[in-house]
Amino acid sequence: MKKFGFLLFLVVMMIAFPKMADASSYSAKIYLDGQQINVSSGAKVENINGTVMVPIRIVSENLGFQVDWSKATKTVTVQDGSQKVTMTIGSQYADINGQRVQMTKAPVLRGGTTMVPIRFVSEQMGMQVRWDNGTKSVHLTSGNAGSNPDGDDGAHTATVDGISFSDNKLMVAVTGNAKPSISKLGNPDRIVIDMVNTEFSDSFGTMNDYDEVNKFGQMAVSGYSDVKSVRYSLYNSSPLTVRIVLDLNQPANYTVSGLENGSGILTVALTAATDPSPGTSGKKIVVIDAGHGDHDPGAIGVTKKREKDFNLAMALKVEKLLANEPNIDVVLTRSTDKFLELKDRAKLANDLKADVFISIHANSGPSAATGTETYYYDQSDKALAAALHKEIVKAMGLKDRGVRYGNFHVIRETKMPGALLEVGFMSNKTDESKLFDPATQDRVAAAIVRGIKNYLNVN
C-alpha cells in the first residue's frame, strides 16, 4: 500500500510537472522604481517554472546596461561599470567577473529573440526584481531606490502543487523559487515547514484534501510509528506563506533534500531521534553563528558577492569538522539562507548553556583596507578571541589587524565566552577573492576548529 501511494504520487507529479514546465507568455507591464517603462512592441515576458524571463533588448533599451551578443558562441554579455555578466544559451552557468555562478534557468532563444532570467541579471547589477502574478507585471528596484519596503523579493513566484507522505518521507512538489525554513518543535512534537512568498497552485485542491475557503487541509497518515498526520495551510497572506506541519507521535530527526535549483520535489525524510540533546553527554557545546541572512545580505563585495553567503558557507564547513570531534557538540544558529534577529541568536546560545559562541562575518571598508580582525566584548571573552585569531590569521595569510574590543549585540548578550570574527574585507578585491576561494575556506574552517579546541583544551 505504501509503494502504491508513492507510485500514485509520482504519476500525479508526471502529469502535473509538464504543465508546470510550459512557459506562459504575457504582454506584461514592467516597472522600474515604481515607474512603468515603455516596452518595445511585441516584447513578451515568460514565466518558466517561476523564473521570469525577458527579451534581452529590454535589458539594453530600458535598463541602460551595455549588452553584447555573439552569434558564433551563442553568448550574451551584460555590463554596467565594472560588473560583467556573461551567459550562454542553454547553460545554467554564468560568468561574473571571472567567477562561475549557477542560475535557476538558462537563457533561451525564442524565434530569434534571446530571453534571459531578469532576476539573476538585475541582482548582479545591484537591482531587485519582483513578479506580480495578479497583474502580470515585473517590478524592478534599482540600488538608488532602496530595498523593497516589504522585503518581498520575488513574491508570488512559487507554488505548492502536491503533497504526499510515503516511506517515512514527506514529499512536496514545488514550482518556483521556494526557500523552505524547517524547524523541530516539542510539546507537542512536530516538524514545521514554512515557505514564504509561496501559495497553493490552482490545481492543488484537485489532488489533495484542501478547503479552498479556509485555506486548510489535512492528510491522515497510517502505518508509520513516527507520524500522526500532515497538516497544511496558507498560514499567512502578507507575505503569502505556506505552512506544512508533520504531527509526530514521538521526537524524530530529519534530513532535507531537493529544491537546490528552484522547482522540484522537496523531501523531508524522518530518521530516528537517537542523538542526545546537545551537552547531555558531557560534551562541550559550541554555537556557530553565520551572520546576516535572507533579506539582510551584509556587506556587498567588489564583485557583488554577498557577505551572508560567505558566512553561511564557513559555518557549514566548521559544523562538518566539529561533527567529527568526539568531545564537542556543535549547533548552528542558521543552516540555510534565513534571517534571525540578533536577540534570537544570543537566546539560542544562552538557552543551550553553550560553552562558547562564535559569530562569523566578513568586513567592509575602503578598498585599500585589508586583513583579519577578531572582536571580544568582555575580558572573559578575550582568551577565546585570541585563540581563534592566531589560527585564522595564519590560514588567511592577510594582514593581522589584531584582537579588538567590540560592542556587538551577539557577543554582548551571550552569557558564555564569545567572539566575532571579521575574516577579511569584502571591499578589497584580494581579500574578497580569498574569502570565496573554497580551498581557503577549508583552511579557515580548520583553523577555527583548532582555535576552539585549543581554548576548550579538548582533544
Side-chain angles (χ1 to χ4, degrees), residues 403-425:
V403 176
R404 306 179 174 193
Y405 165 82
N407 187 17
F408 297 104
H409 184 101
V410 288
I411 55 175
R412 185 185 69 235
E413 299 303 321
T414 43
K415 298 176 182 179
M416 70 292 305
L420 187 142
L421 315 178
E422 295 283 8
V423 181
F425 278 79

Side-chain angles (χ1 to χ4, degrees), residues 173-345:
V174 178
T175 299
N177 190 24
K179 295 181 179 179
S181 174
I182 305 177
S183 55
K184 184 169 65 173
L185 304 176
N187 298 320
D189 294 313
R190 60 202 188 279
I191 294 172
V192 179
I193 304 158
D194 282 337
M195 288 184 278
V196 180
N197 296 335
T198 305
E199 59 187 331
F200 293 106
S201 67
D202 293 339
S203 61
F204 179 83
T206 64
M207 296 183 290
N208 299 270
D209 184 5
Y210 183 63
D211 184 337
E212 295 281 358
V213 176
N214 296 309
K215 307 296 182 184
F216 175 86
Q218 185 164 338
M219 177 190 304
V221 176
S222 60
Y224 296 95
S225 60
D226 290 331
V227 181
K228 294 179 185 176
S229 64
V230 178
R231 295 179 284 124
Y232 38 88
S233 66
L234 191 64
Y235 179 71
N236 200 347
S237 59
S238 182
L240 288 169
T241 303
V242 167
R243 170 167 285 186
I244 303 170
V245 180
L246 281 79
D247 291 313
L248 305 177
N249 292 311
Q250 57 200 17
N253 293 329
Y254 62 88
T255 60
V256 181
S257 60
L259 303 191
E260 288 84 358
N261 297 313
S263 301
I265 304 292
L266 169 67
T267 301
V268 180
L270 299 182
T271 59
T274 55
D275 296 335
S277 300
T280 57
S281 59
K283 297 180 181 181
K284 299 291 186 180
I285 302 175
V286 175
V287 174
I288 303 295
D289 172 47
H292 307 285
D294 194 23
H295 63 270
D296 175 15
I300 303 299
V302 178
T303 62
K304 307 299 183 184
K305 291 183 174 63
R306 302 173 297 190
E307 181 195 350
K308 69 171 185 176
D309 298 328
F310 165 77
N311 299 341
L312 181 57
M314 287 303 310
L316 293 172
K317 287 175 182 283
V318 172
E319 178 197 32
K320 186 175 181 180
L321 294 176
L322 286 176
N324 296 321
E325 294 296 330
N327 298 311
I328 293 177
D329 277 329
V330 57
V331 177
L332 299 186
T333 58
R334 68 178 182 98
S335 59
T336 60
D337 184 23
K338 70 176 182 179
F339 177 77
L340 286 173
E341 297 287 351
L342 298 178
K343 62 182 176 64
D344 293 328
R345 299 169 192 254

Side-chain angles (χ1 to χ4, degrees), residues 25-310:
S25 297
Y26 313 97
S27 296
K29 296 178 181 179
I30 299 181
Y31 294 86
L32 176 61
D33 295 336
Q35 298 295 317
Q36 184 177 352
I37 61 178
N38 295 320
V39 178
S40 301
S41 177
K44 301 289 185 181
V45 172
E46 292 187 7
N47 188 342
I48 305 177
N49 286 346
T51 299
V52 180
M53 310 285 284
V54 299
I56 194 63
R57 66 176 179 268
I58 290 179
V59 175
S60 59
E61 294 174 1
N62 302 105
L63 304 185
F65 302 138
Q66 179 183 337
V67 176
D68 296 308
W69 163 253
S70 172
K71 185 176 181 180
T73 60
K74 293 186 178 180
T75 59
V76 58
T77 300
V78 182
Q79 190 162 1
D80 182 37
S82 62
Q83 189 72 349
K84 182 179 180 181
V85 179
T86 301
M87 298 167 284
T88 303
I89 298 298
S91 173
Q92 279 191 254
Y93 290 92
D95 182 284
I96 303 175
N97 293 343
Q99 297 288 327
R100 190 168 182 255
V101 177
Q102 187 172 9
M103 301 178 286
T104 58
K105 187 67 62 177
V108 297
L109 283 175
R110 289 282 189 265
T113 299
T114 302
M115 308 289 291
V116 297
I118 189 61
R119 174 186 295 280
F120 180 81
V121 173
S122 65
E123 286 182 346
Q124 298 308 317
M125 297 302 168
M127 304 176 71
Q128 294 182 341
V129 61
R130 178 171 62 85
W131 169 253
D132 189 325
N133 198 48
T135 61
K136 300 296 187 290
S137 59
V138 180
H139 296 259
L140 304 174
T141 305
S142 69
N144 295 330
S147 61
N148 185 344
D150 297 324
D152 196 14
D153 186 19
H156 307 171
T157 61
T159 58
V160 170
D161 306 297
I163 295 178
S164 178
F165 190 88
S166 180
D167 295 333
N168 227 27
K169 298 177 182 177
L170 173 74
M171 292 168 286
V172 184
V174 178
T175 299
N177 190 24
K179 295 181 179 179
S181 174
I182 305 177
S183 55
K184 184 169 65 173
L185 304 176
N187 298 320
D189 294 313
R190 60 202 188 279
I191 294 172
V192 179
I193 304 158
D194 282 337
M195 288 184 278
V196 180
N197 296 335
T198 305
E199 59 187 331
F200 293 106
S201 67
D202 293 339
S203 61
F204 179 83
T206 64
M207 296 183 290
N208 299 270
D209 184 5
Y210 183 63
D211 184 337
E212 295 281 358
V213 176
N214 296 309
K215 307 296 182 184
F216 175 86
Q218 185 164 338
M219 177 190 304
V221 176
S222 60
Y224 296 95
S225 60
D226 290 331
V227 181
K228 294 179 185 176
S229 64
V230 178
R231 295 179 284 124
Y232 38 88
S233 66
L234 191 64
Y235 179 71
N236 200 347
S237 59
S238 182
L240 288 169
T241 303
V242 167
R243 170 167 285 186
I244 303 170
V245 180
L246 281 79
D247 291 313
L248 305 177
N249 292 311
Q250 57 200 17
N253 293 329
Y254 62 88
T255 60
V256 181
S257 60
L259 303 191
E260 288 84 358
N261 297 313
S263 301
I265 304 292
L266 169 67
T267 301
V268 180
L270 299 182
T271 59
T274 55
D275 296 335
S277 300
T280 57
S281 59
K283 297 180 181 181
K284 299 291 186 180
I285 302 175
V286 175
V287 174
I288 303 295
D289 172 47
H292 307 285
D294 194 23
H295 63 270
D296 175 15
I300 303 299
V302 178
T303 62
K304 307 299 183 184
K305 291 183 174 63
R306 302 173 297 190
E307 181 195 350
K308 69 171 185 176
D309 298 328
F310 165 77

